[in-house]
């Protein structure tokens, strides 16, 4: 083959690669039929299976479908941490939170600027998927019970 022919072939292949990248850019990964993917079972354990059944369609649809074991494990860990935070808040709250009443409700977050866990309080504004507690020691208790490193991973969504 001549150099010119090889250069043309390389150009064609590069264009094809760019086209494929563009097509997949905003699409979630989906395994090919009989290709493996990972999911989280009802006990919070990560398993691998081949994509071939109706279960696979449902898992994909509800976003319980991961390319790597690490991705699935991160989500499983974050679900467990969220549940532990809810249980801690429930334990620390003296009564269920009433959002129509004006009093302090604490939540914790992660500050990227100084890389720390912080606690803030609101009275009537509620963010979705956030755990609130009426106890001013919520952050300290969460760190003690869950662990700072695990809590940071959860708060950062990693």
């Amino acid at each position: 083959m001549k150099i010119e022919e090889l250069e043309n072939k390389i150009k064609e292949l590069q264009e094809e690669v760019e086209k494929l990248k563009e097509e997949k850019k905003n699409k979630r990964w989906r395994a090919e039929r009989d290709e493996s993917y990972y999911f989280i079972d009802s006990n919070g354990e990560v398993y691998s299976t081949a994509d071939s059944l109706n279960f696979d369609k449902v898992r994909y649809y509800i976003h319980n479908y991961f390319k790597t074991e690490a991705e699935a494990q991160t989500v499983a860990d974050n679900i467990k941490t969220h549940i532990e935070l809810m249980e801690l808040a429930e334990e620390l709250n003296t009564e269920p939170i009433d959002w129509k009443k004006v009093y302090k409700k604490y939540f914790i977050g992660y500050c990227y600027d100084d890389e720390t866990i912080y606690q803030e309080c609101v009275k009537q504004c509620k963010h979705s998927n956030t755990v609130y507690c009426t106890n001013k020691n919520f952050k300290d208790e969460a760190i003690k019970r869950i662990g700072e490193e695990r809590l940071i991973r959860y708060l950062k969504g990693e």
Side-chain angles (χ1 to χ4, degrees):
M1 241 185 197
K2 294 180 181 178
I3 291 177
E4 189 176 308
E5 289 175 11
L6 288 172
E7 287 175 341
N8 285 337
K9 188 66 172 170
I10 289 170
K11 185 178 178 183
E12 284 177 32
L13 289 171
Q14 286 173 331
E15 288 172 359
E16 185 67 25
V17 166
E18 289 306 312
K19 182 180 172 187
L20 290 170
K21 282 181 182 178
E22 194 60 37
E23 286 175 4
K24 289 214 167 215
K25 198 174 197 178
N26 294 319
K27 292 184 182 180
R28 282 192 312 137
W29 175 82
R30 178 79 192 254
E32 298 294 327
R33 184 169 177 81
D34 295 325
E35 183 182 3
S36 291
Y37 72 94
Y38 295 86
F39 69 96
I40 305 164
D41 78 350
S42 58
N43 292 322
E45 299 297 321
V46 172
Y47 290 98
S48 176
T49 191
D51 191 314
S52 62
L53 304 170
N54 285 336
F55 289 124
D56 306 308
K57 291 177 187 174
V58 172
R59 289 183 187 129
Y60 183 81
Y61 178 73
I62 65 169
H63 292 249
N64 185 9
Y65 192 104
F66 306 94
K67 187 173 186 173
T68 68
E69 184 176 10
E71 288 173 306
Q73 192 60 58
T74 295
V75 172
D77 291 344
N78 285 342
I79 290 169
K80 290 174 188 174
T81 301
H82 187 81
I83 290 168
E84 288 178 44
L85 270 178
M86 289 189 318
E87 289 172 346
L88 175 62
E90 212 173 274
E91 181 183 312
L92 294 174
N93 290 342
T94 54
E95 60 186 60
I97 291 177
D98 184 347
W99 286 97
K100 293 182 181 181
K101 291 185 180 175
V102 179
Y103 59 88
K104 292 180 179 179
K105 297 143 184 111
Y106 300 94
F107 68 94
I108 56 177
Y110 182 77
C111 179
Y112 284 86
D113 187 36
D114 60 5
E115 299 179 330
T116 59
I117 298 172
Y118 67 90
Q119 176 172 284
E120 285 196 22
C121 117
V122 294
K123 294 186 178 177
Q124 288 182 298
C125 299
K126 184 179 181 184
H127 302 92
S128 64
N129 208 30
T130 302
V131 179
Y132 292 91
C133 183
T134 57
N135 187 307
K136 66 181 177 183
N137 298 314
F138 183 46
K139 178 186 89 166
D140 296 332
E141 290 297 320
I143 290 170
K144 193 184 316 178
R145 182 164 309 175
I146 295 168
E148 189 169 5
E149 186 178 311
R150 202 168 131 223
L151 203 50
I152 288 171
R153 281 195 311 272
Y154 163 78
L155 294 168
K156 290 172 73 175
E158 296 178 345

